[in-house]
Amino acid sequence: MSAVSQILNAIEQGDPHAAGQLLPLVYDELHRLAAHKLAREKPGHTLQPTALVHEAYLRLVGDAAPRWDGRGHFFAAAAEAMRRILVDHARRRTAQKRGGLARRVAWDDRFTVADAEDDELLALDEALGELERHDPRGAQLVKLRYFSGLTHQQAAEALGISRRAADRVWAVAKAWLYQRIQAG
């Protein structure tokens, strides 16, 4: 059993010191995943990889007693936490864009690109929610690839399926999402 798996088991058993031991072991990998995801965001994004990692980690080991079935499950949960943080951030930006507490400013073409990217992220999140109801494995694969930055092989391993099975799931999920987003 890896050190990460042992610490995850200790957290599950209620060891108050285990969460402090986990972060140093997984921080670099979580930071790499966060940086990979944020690299695809628009320039000048207000979230930084470090802040994204810390927020995701707090959500993962917060007050609730988490239950992970090992390293792969933990990183899948981290990917989901990062996805939710980015979606929440996009929603806040979109709400501000639509009025919120912001003061009025003159329209400027530079706002168009940033707003479209937030809208695209929200459309993807909505479509992923629908996909999750119809094909949970496909939705999980998309989250691992898109939001975590895992390679196709790493995502297949995290899901416990073969690369060939992941290829089939990926093709169907990608086509389904493309159709939903284009229709929406």
Side-chain angles (χ1 to χ4, degrees), residues 24-135:
L25 292 177
V26 298
Y27 184 82
D28 288 339
E29 192 164 351
L30 289 176
H31 195 275
R32 183 187 60 76
L33 294 174
H36 181 271
K37 172 56 190 142
L38 288 172
R40 291 197 248 163
E41 296 290 322
K42 67 177 178 60
H45 198 285
T46 56
L47 278 176
Q48 297 298 317
T50 301
L52 184 55
V53 168
H54 290 197
E55 179 66 25
Y57 187 78
L58 288 174
R59 289 186 183 192
L60 290 170
V61 297
D63 297 330
R67 178 162 178 80
W68 295 295
D69 294 328
R71 180 182 172 86
H73 188 215
F74 174 79
F75 282 102
E80 177 67 14
M82 287 182 192
R83 178 183 76 86
R84 289 176 190 234
I85 292 164
L86 290 170
V87 167
D88 289 346
H89 183 74
R91 281 191 180 122
R92 282 191 302 277
R93 286 182 43 84
T94 301
Q96 290 174 358
K97 164 183 88 173
R98 306 243 187 278
L101 300 175
R103 62 182 177 85
R104 286 199 174 270
V105 294
W107 180 257
D108 188 328
D109 286 341
R110 68 190 155 143
F111 295 122
T112 307
V113 172
D115 295 342
E117 290 178 3
D118 286 341
D119 290 344
E120 289 171 5
L121 181 60
L122 293 175
L124 175 60
D125 181 61
E126 185 177 322
L128 263 175
E130 289 180 45
L131 179 60
E132 198 159 33
R133 289 189 289 277
H134 299 289
D135 181 7

Side-chain angles (χ1 to χ4, degrees), residues 137-138 140-141 144 152-170:
R137 182 181 281 177
Q140 189 63 31
L141 182 62
L144 289 171
H152 199 59
Q153 183 64 39
Q154 290 169 332
E157 289 170 5
L159 290 174
I161 60 176
S162 70
R163 168 69 190 248
R164 180 166 275 176
D167 290 340
R168 289 189 299 270
V169 170
W170 178 251

